[in-house]
Every structure is written in C-alpha cells, then in structure tokens.
Amino acid sequence: MSQYWSKVVHSLTPYVPGEQPKLPNLVKLNTNESPYGPSRRVLDALRAEVGDTLRLYPDPGSDKLRAAIAKRHGVAPDEVFVGNGSDEVLAHVFMGLLKHDAPVLFPDITYSFYPVYCGLYGIAFEPVPLNGQFEIAVDDYLQPDRQRNGGIIFPNPNAPTGQFVPLREIERLLQANANSVVVIDEAYVDFGGESCVPLIKKYPQLLVTHTLSKSRALAGLRVGYATGNADLIEALNRVKDSFNSYPLDRFAQAGATAAMEDEDYFQAMCRKVISTKARLSADLQAIGFEVLPSAANFIFTRFPGSDGAYIAAKLRERSIIVRHFKNPARISPFMRITIGTDEQCAGLVDALREIVKFNKIK
C-alpha cells in the first residue's frame, strides 16, 4: 500500500494470469495456448514488416485486418473492432457498453477477468450460478429480478468449464433482452462450438468477441476483435481513441491479417486439437477421471474424491503444468488441462495413471 495510490488502486483485486514457469523439459498445459505454431503465411508476413517503415506509426484503424475479419465472417468492416488481445477488447466493452445503472450479469464460474473489469470501472455486477452440471442455464438469466440489467456477458464455450450453450438458447436470451447488450465471448468456439456471429444481423444488441491467441496460434502477438452492429462498434472506437489510438503495431496487424486469410491452416489445426481432445478425454475416463463435455481447446476434469491441487502439484513434480482454481470451492477438485500435442497428452495420461496408482487416490 502507498499513500500515492489512488482510491481505485487501493480497492483493486487484479487478474492473475496463468503461470509462465521456467522449468526444464516443461509440458505446458495451463494457459490454453496452441500446441502448434502459426502458419507459414503469418511468418512470411511478419518478416516482410521488418524494414524502414517501422519508423512510422501503424494504421490506427487496422483497415486491412478488419477487412480480412469481415470477409471471413461475412460482415461489413464497420461491424468489426480490433484491439490488443481480446482482453483489451473486453476492457473497452465493459467501459463502453456495460457501464450502466444496473448490474451486469455473468456466471459465478467463468472468466475471472470479468469481475476485475467491474472493479476497475466501478460497475455493479451479479454472478449467476452455474447449474448442478456446471452449465450456463439461460432460464437463470430470464428471472424477473434479472430482467433489468446493465448487460449480460459470458464465454461460449464457458471458461474454465468448456461447456457450450447452443445457439437456440443464445437466441432465446437475446429475444428476452432487447434493451441491454449481450456479449458472447467466443475465445474457444473454434474447437467444437458454433459461432453466433451470424446473429448480429438480427439482433442489434449482440456483440461477439474473439481472440487470435488460441485457434490462430498468435498468443504472442496479442490480437483480439469484436463483431456487432456498427453502433456498438462505434462505441468501442470512441473508447479506444480516448485511450490508445494505435493499439496494434505493424507486426500484429500483418500477422493477424495473414492468419485470418489462411483458412486451410486454421481448419487443419482445429481438427488436430479436436481429435486429440477426444482421445485425451477417453483416456482419462478409462483411468477413472470425470471429464466435463468440452467445446474448447481444454478439458475440465477431476478424479472423484480427490483434491485437484494435490494432483496438479504431483504433475508439476514431473514438469507438467496444468491450471487449478481453488475458488470457488465447488470447482477445487477440478483441473483445467489445455490440449497439447498427441505426445504431450499421452505423457500426461501416463503421469496421471501413475499418480492415481501409487498415491492410492480413491
């Protein structure tokens, strides 16, 4: 604590990102990065940016990138907003679209940055509990006492559970919330879900966010985007240009544009991750683990009667890092495991089989 801090800083509880450990022979399955590198087209685009033009500011509107995103999703460029990772996009969403005189609604078990944004911007919020199967139940958002809200936001698939809300349920939510913004955070949708971007033409209150950190293998470039009605996008641009007019540098714009244009590589990488996920889920169930259905590039799993922190610690002793959440208490038995390569996941299963056997976990 310092006397020089503002009152806001004194009250903040910052987001804690996934660990980036420096261990020998590390198998890193804790932060949902891609197990595969970006396409060659991305690497070629990055090399092409090295030159004298680095002395110049990048395009503040990221016009080429927005055009590539718009083409890929079948929307107009003015229905696309880009930012420095989806976290920055979401930060502008909270400030520009969710800061109202009623609480924002989001799940009680979800992306833990949401309450952090609320604390930073002074936004009231109400967590809506997941149901007994750790699912987002749309009916819970339609209760009479929740009809007046400052907006609704959740990941689909949800994080860290990985479970997907079907589009018919998203539409039901939109139909009941015509007067407030509904934000669907689709960071993981490419690994088994169905995007609701086509619904932005029908529902002007819908905003959909994406990241290139997962399915496009560009976590190191920090690029995210949102699609929605042009009025919503204008609000985000007004916030951006009151904060940082140049959020994406030349490398990020060039690499991200190439990634969005390389559809074949994108589809191939998604298929590989989905295939490995199915194999890993079956292998874990075969040795007694419970695995929640996942449409993401990770699984949420527990060994009945065990402590997730204990198993995660035993894996760490073997230089395998997974993510464990101790809060809230009802998910403390679980671990979130990023889908790695086939080889990494086979090694994980071998390690877990050994941990279960020799530590007499029951």
Side-chain angles (χ1 to χ4, degrees):
M1 296 292 185
S2 169
Q3 63 175 322
Y4 302 112
W5 289 4
S6 70
K7 290 178 65 175
V8 172
V9 173
H10 275 284
S11 65
L12 290 179
T13 302
Y15 172 75
V16 179
E19 183 185 9
Q20 300 287 346
K22 296 177 175 61
L23 297 174
N25 304 312
L26 177 67
V27 177
K28 190 172 183 294
L29 304 176
N30 67 322
T31 50
N32 300 337
E33 295 144 317
S34 172
Y36 308 105
S39 77
R40 290 186 179 274
R41 289 174 61 175
V42 170
L43 300 179
D44 290 343
L46 294 177
R47 294 186 189 100
E49 282 300 311
V50 178
D52 182 66
T53 54
L54 289 178
R55 64 188 173 82
L56 302 174
Y57 284 110
D59 175 11
S62 301
D63 290 345
K64 289 183 179 179
L65 174 56
R66 289 192 302 109
I69 294 169
K71 181 178 179 181
R72 203 269 170 182
H73 287 290
V75 300
D78 66 355
E79 295 173 318
V80 177
F81 176 82
V82 297
N84 189 267
S86 62
D87 286 337
E88 182 183 77
V89 174
L90 289 168
H92 293 340
V93 167
F94 273 80
M95 171 58 77
L97 298 173
L98 300 180
K99 186 175 173 61
H100 296 289
D101 58 354
V104 175
L105 307 180
F106 50 75
D108 65 333
I109 299 171
T110 194
Y111 186 30
S112 54
F113 225 138
Y114 296 164
V116 173
Y117 294 132
C118 289
L120 178 61
Y121 297 130
I123 300 172
F125 67 93
E126 179 184 344
V128 179
L130 299 183
N131 67 18
Q133 289 72 50
F134 296 97
E135 299 167 328
I136 294 172
V138 165
D139 281 342
D140 293 337
Y141 291 80
L142 306 183
Q143 300 301 315
D145 61 337
R146 292 177 176 143
Q147 288 299 299
R148 183 178 179 274
N149 60 69
I152 297 171
I153 182 170
F154 56 78
N156 196 33
N158 192 26
T161 62
Q163 302 208 67
F164 183 73
V165 180
L167 261 59
R168 64 179 181 276
E169 289 295 285
I170 299 293
E171 280 216 71
R172 203 157 63 86
L173 181 67
L174 289 163
Q175 289 162 1
N177 284 274
N179 296 318
S180 57
V181 173
V182 175
V183 182
I184 305 300
D185 181 354
E186 292 189 342
Y188 304 104
V189 75
D190 299 320
F191 301 103
E194 182 181 2
S195 177
C196 63
V197 168
L199 297 179
I200 69 171
K201 300 292 187 182
K202 186 176 179 182
Y203 300 98
Q205 77 275 32
L206 172 63
L207 189 84
V208 186
T209 62
H210 283 90
T211 178
L212 275 71
S213 296
K214 317 301 181 185
S215 57
R216 306 282 175 174
L218 291 180
L221 279 191
R222 312 306 303 127
V223 180
Y225 63 93
T227 54
N229 181 279
D231 288 342
L232 299 184
I233 300 304
E234 181 182 354
L236 299 181
N237 279 314
R238 289 171 67 88
V239 173
K240 173 188 80 87
D241 289 332
S242 300
F243 177 74
N244 178 8
S245 294
Y246 303 97
L248 293 184
D249 63 33
R250 288 177 173 272
F251 292 104
Q253 291 186 38
T257 300
M260 293 304 301
E261 292 175 342
D262 197 344
E263 185 72 14
D264 289 344
Y265 187 82
F266 161 75
Q267 294 290 351
M269 292 305 99
C270 289
R271 286 194 297 269
K272 288 178 72 172
V273 170
I274 291 169
S275 175
T276 303
K277 177 176 62 178
R279 188 177 303 111
L280 175 60
S281 297
D283 288 346
L284 290 179
Q285 290 169 333
I287 58 175
F289 279 81
E290 174 190 352
V291 181
L292 296 188
S294 173
N297 69 333
F298 58 84
I299 58 173
F300 207 49
T301 184
R302 65 180 172 186
F303 195 87
S306 72
D307 178 5
Y310 174 80
I311 297 179
K314 287 295 181 182
L315 286 172
R316 187 186 180 89
E317 292 174 2
R318 294 161 171 80
S319 292
I320 301 173
I321 306 298
V322 299
R323 191 82 186 264
H324 175 258
F325 300 87
K326 62 181 179 181
N327 291 312
R330 65 186 174 125
I331 63 168
S332 63
F334 285 86
M335 299 175 294
R336 191 193 70 190
I337 302 174
T338 301
I339 305 304
T341 63
D342 287 337
E343 181 181 23
Q344 289 173 329
C345 289
L348 168 73
V349 172
D350 288 343
L352 288 172
R353 187 181 291 112
E354 184 179 272
I355 291 168
V356 168
K357 179 180 178 180
F358 290 103
N359 291 276
K360 298 180 179 179
I361 297 175
K362 297 180 179 180

